[in-house]
Amino acid sequence: IRRFKKYQKTLGKRTYCDLTKLAQAVGKPVKFVKKDLKKMIGKGWFTEGCFDGSETCLITSRETFCQYQEMEKALEEKKKQEALRAREESELSPEVKEVLEKGRNYLDRLRKSNDAIPGEEISAKIFKMEKIVDQIFQRAKAHPEIIPDLKRMMDYYLPMTVKLLEAYEDMDSQPVQGETIRSSKKEIEDTLDTLNDAFAKLLDSVFQDTAWDVSSDISVLHTLLAQEGLKDSDFKIQH
């Protein structure tokens, strides 16, 4: 009973606790505490008590256990996605891998800046940029032949974007916002619009070959339909 009270005191208002902390509270080895808690759970002392999957944490609430299960599912899905990405990238050339890795780093820095800057308007612009740039890199992953077209974006546009956002973040954190800071922030915000337009055009251009292929296929299809007498115009009733 004394140990049970110490466990409860260590838990406090929390509904989960690492077994090492509980072991320290009662001055016993973790192995002993694990067996001790299992006995108490079996006796119903912790009415909703259970362990996590690796049995390194005590959970005392069904709701918390459900949250833990959801988190585990999310982590498992993330691991699967990472493993799939690793398999896909293992087939890519070192040059392509390097570009994609740099791309992920730039996207991470964009997200960090977005998290650090509270303004809703600029946040929306950064989020739009994240989506466009991510689409470009997804396209590059599927079609490595377009990577040479991304050189200017990789060597200049993205590094400059990150630099501008870091400057904005620094200015935005200042307690006093003078005219110089406000003017510089506005200039950066306007530049983000220009960059988003440029990235959108680049995204459109990397799909140009596909658009040409689609247009060519449609043209051939129309020709074949006309030759077979299956186009709409050939079904019109002659009066």
Side-chain angles (χ1 to χ4, degrees):
I1 292 173
R2 282 195 299 268
R3 288 197 304 275
F4 176 68
K5 288 181 178 179
K6 286 183 180 179
Y7 293 146
Q8 286 187 314
K9 185 178 179 181
T10 304
L11 278 161
K13 293 182 179 180
R14 294 177 300 170
T15 54
Y16 63 93
C17 186
D18 192 272
L19 294 191
T20 55
K21 290 185 179 180
L22 296 174
Q24 289 170 2
V26 296
K28 298 286 186 180
V30 172
K31 188 175 181 180
F32 173 89
V33 170
K34 188 187 296 185
K35 290 182 178 180
D36 200 28
L37 290 171
K38 284 182 178 180
K39 289 179 182 178
M40 291 178 181
I41 291 171
K43 293 178 180 179
W45 290 14
F46 292 102
T47 54
E48 294 185 351
C50 60
F51 292 99
D52 65 337
S54 58
E55 294 193 341
T56 58
C57 180
L58 173 68
I59 300 173
T60 59
S61 159
R62 188 178 300 278
E63 181 182 356
T64 302
F65 182 69
C66 289
Q67 291 173 353
Y68 159 76
Q69 286 183 312
E70 289 299 318
M71 183 186 70
E72 284 289 292
K73 287 179 182 177
L75 287 173
E76 187 63 29
E77 182 62 28
K78 184 179 179 181
K79 287 180 181 178
K80 288 180 181 178
Q81 292 297 327
E82 288 176 350
L84 177 61
R85 187 177 70 186
R87 285 198 300 272
E88 290 175 346
E89 292 188 3
S90 66
E91 301 173 1
L92 301 174
S93 69
E95 294 78 11
V96 174
K97 289 180 183 179
E98 182 182 357
V99 170
L100 294 177
E101 182 62 29
K102 286 178 67 176
R104 279 195 292 270
N105 290 335
Y106 280 126
L107 282 170
D108 286 341
R109 292 171 76 176
L110 289 178
R111 292 182 185 114
K112 286 178 181 177
S113 291
N114 205 353
D115 291 339
I117 298 172
E120 291 186 9
E121 186 175 346
I122 188 171
S123 181
K125 294 179 181 183
I126 299 171
F127 181 69
K128 180 180 179 181
M129 183 178 291
E130 288 175 34
K131 289 180 65 178
I132 296 172
V133 172
D134 184 53
Q135 283 182 272
I136 291 172
F137 285 120
Q138 291 299 327
R139 182 67 176 175
K141 183 177 178 181
H143 296 271
E145 66 274 9
I146 71 165
I147 283 181
D149 299 332
L150 310 183
K151 181 172 175 56
R152 189 175 292 275
M153 181 183 78
M154 299 296 295
D155 294 345
Y156 185 74
Y157 296 146
L158 284 175
M160 182 57 67
T161 300
V162 169
K163 184 178 179 180
L164 289 174
L165 289 176
E166 287 174 348
Y168 190 101
E169 185 180 336
D170 180 51
M171 290 185 288
D172 199 51
S173 65
Q174 300 304 312
V176 178
Q177 302 277 312
E179 179 58 33
T180 300
I181 289 180
R182 289 197 298 271
S183 176
S184 296
K185 285 170 59 179
K186 180 65 168 60
E187 192 173 2
I188 291 174
E189 290 171 9
D190 292 342
T191 302
L192 289 182
D193 288 329
T194 303
L195 284 166
N196 274 335
D197 288 341
F199 289 144
K201 288 178 181 177
L202 178 59
L203 176 63
D204 188 61
S205 71
V206 299
F207 276 90
Q208 193 65 56
D209 289 343
T210 300
W212 284 336
D213 289 342
V214 169
S215 180
S216 177
D217 289 341
I218 290 175
S219 178
V220 171
L221 181 62
H222 278 295
T223 300
L224 291 173
L225 288 171
Q227 290 175 352
E228 296 292 332
L230 298 175
K231 289 190 68 173
D232 288 344
S233 58
D234 295 317
F235 285 100
K236 290 180 180 178
I237 298 175
Q238 301 296 325
H239 292 286

